[in-house]
Amino acid sequence: MKAITRRQLLKTGLYSTALLGLPQRVWATERPPLFIPPLLESRRGRPLYLTLESVRKSLIDDKSTEVWGFNGLYLGPTIRVKRGEFVRLVYRNNLSRPVAVNVQGLQAPAELLGGVGKVLQPQQSWSPIIAIEQAPATCWYQGYSLTRCAYETYRGLAGMWLIEEPTTSKGLLPSQYGVNDIPLILQDLQLNNQGTQLFQPNQDVFLGNRLFVNGQQSPYLKVARGWVRLRIVNASLSRCYELSCDDGRDLHWIASDQGFFSASRAVKSLFLAPSERAEILLDLNEGGNVKLMAGRSANLWDKLTSLFSSEQNLLDNTVLELRPEGLLSVFSQQPNIPFKPDLALPSAISQQRQFHINNASAMINQRRFDPRRIDVNAKLGSLERWQVSADSPVGFRLQGARFIIESIDNQPLPLEQQSWKDTVWVDKSVQLLVHFTHPSSHNFPLTFGSSDLMLADKGAMGLMVVQ
């Protein structure tokens, strides 16, 4: 029998004493209803207004605190556009500091996309007109200033961006926004007793102990029986998520960052790196309430020990509790993916590159980010093979370009698991086929590097010019 140390005994006693003294509300199972961000659509050429501003919100209890967001909201509205449209965005910065904004996953020229080359000064506006040319995808927008991307995203400058086909066949996929087509923005936060966000920019990684979904902790959503579509964005700074259902039912994975797979994949769990997105279907035709979890379902002891843990575990790892209502749906068969991915690539690989990320020193190929240095010069329309490796597991992403994963740790990825992406988890190494679809310049460069925003702000990123 394993001996118990004096330290472990003292900790156990502390936990037990604390359990008796904790207020009942700590263990309360009441959940708030899921907040669905309002929808902005560019109908008939109507401009889409996005105002960056400081707002007040109660993150815990009734303790109002200052956060950031768009259009008077913590986080931002969901933007929905259609392929073939010209979308006019009207950004206005009502914050007291300069801010840049990026739409991660959107394929557009860098001078229209935003990012590090387009900084909005306080009270400044900017109105790019962007042609939407890519296939249906779940993207997201965020604060993107050099060395402050993590802080801006953490404060609330983030939102979902959906691209769809101009016409969608009815009955194929759930498509009623907020009803059976549900946006989920995942962020972990650290709060003080007043409910104010805590953040230290010099941290190596950021792991908050509270999981927020669309700005709420552990929400629920009432849905009609049938199939439900969840669009998930990992907007956390450093934390990854292993998503699964508490009752073990399948997640039907239909799309990744920039589009659909060729066929649905039934999986028990789904891993999301920072900045990565996924679309899944859940079959709610039968059974009771189901929870989407970030990791295994926590019991009472897990919740207790997490209160005193120094490892910044989540106090509650419930992403969303779905509460199906009504009679069994007449249409109980799994919906089909309506649009097959077009994975056609240029026939020739123009160049091969290798990138190694050192997490400890926040460098790529032994060089820290320098805004005066262009790290990649690529030809517009070209295809390159990138070998990306890391000292320890980390996310990697590109801005304004796309890739297909050719292999993971030297194991080829089957065709049915491939889709267009811009973010990937690098355990040891990945091999990517990178396609440069839109131009950038020295004045408006694109970026690449760690999708861990803390690491990127410290220097694990680089600049790309595509001409």
Side-chain angles (χ1 to χ4, degrees), residues 65-281:
T65 188
E66 180 193 2
V67 292
W68 292 353
F70 295 86
N71 298 5
L73 299 171
Y74 173 61
L75 304 179
T78 296
I79 295 176
R80 186 164 68 184
V81 300
K82 295 181 179 180
R83 194 201 312 220
E85 290 183 335
F86 285 87
V87 176
R88 182 186 178 191
L89 296 168
V90 182
Y91 293 105
R92 180 170 177 80
N93 181 16
N94 282 350
L95 293 170
S96 59
R97 62 176 68 196
V99 179
V101 180
N102 171 51
V103 184
Q104 183 64 29
L106 183 63
Q107 301 296 285
E111 63 178 336
L112 303 176
L113 189 57
V116 298
K118 184 60 183 180
V119 177
L120 293 177
Q121 299 298 323
Q123 306 306 312
Q124 183 181 8
S125 297
W126 178 47
S127 302
I129 300 176
I130 302 175
I132 307 300
E133 302 171 332
Q134 68 194 90
T138 295
C139 307
W140 70 296
Y141 59 100
Q142 64 174 134
Y144 210 70
S145 302
L146 284 177
T147 72
R148 300 195 307 274
C149 180
Y151 181 69
E152 292 171 352
T153 302
Y154 181 71
R155 290 300 308 274
L157 297 185
M160 195 169 287
W161 179 296
L162 308 179
I163 301 172
E164 296 185 350
E165 290 286 358
T167 57
T168 302
S169 300
K170 293 183 179 180
L172 291 178
L173 286 178
S175 57
Q176 292 180 275
Y177 178 79
V179 177
N180 58 11
D181 185 359
I182 312 301
L184 300 176
I185 300 174
L186 278 55
Q187 287 188 304
D188 58 328
L189 305 181
Q190 187 83 26
L191 308 177
N192 64 14
N193 292 333
Q194 286 72 46
T196 301
Q197 296 164 310
L198 300 178
F199 181 82
Q200 294 293 332
N202 59 348
Q203 293 176 242
D204 292 331
V205 298
F206 179 88
L207 296 174
N209 65 349
R210 296 177 183 267
L211 175 58
F212 281 76
V213 181
N214 297 356
Q216 297 171 297
Q217 292 187 87
S218 309
Y220 76 89
L221 181 68
K222 294 180 179 180
V223 293
R225 289 203 175 274
W227 288 84
V228 173
R229 180 183 186 180
L230 303 180
R231 305 191 195 224
I232 308 170
V233 173
N234 183 357
S236 296
L237 306 187
S238 303
R239 188 183 291 276
C240 303
Y241 296 98
E242 185 82 28
L243 303 177
S244 62
C245 289
D246 65 335
D247 61 358
R249 73 179 65 192
D250 287 338
L251 310 176
H252 297 269
W253 192 9
I254 60 172
S256 188
D257 303 333
Q258 290 191 32
F260 293 109
F261 297 112
S262 58
S264 173
R265 298 169 53 198
V267 297
K268 292 298 182 184
S269 64
L270 176 63
F271 183 89
L272 279 186
S275 191
E276 200 168 12
R277 288 89 67 203
E279 293 186 37
I280 61 174
L281 297 176

Side-chain angles (χ1 to χ4, degrees), residues 52-68:
L52 295 74
E53 54 193 343
S54 173
V55 297
R56 304 289 299 184
K57 180 177 172 59
S58 297
L59 294 172
I60 55 172
D61 302 327
D62 296 322
K63 300 173 181 178
S64 177
T65 188
E66 180 193 2
V67 292
W68 292 353

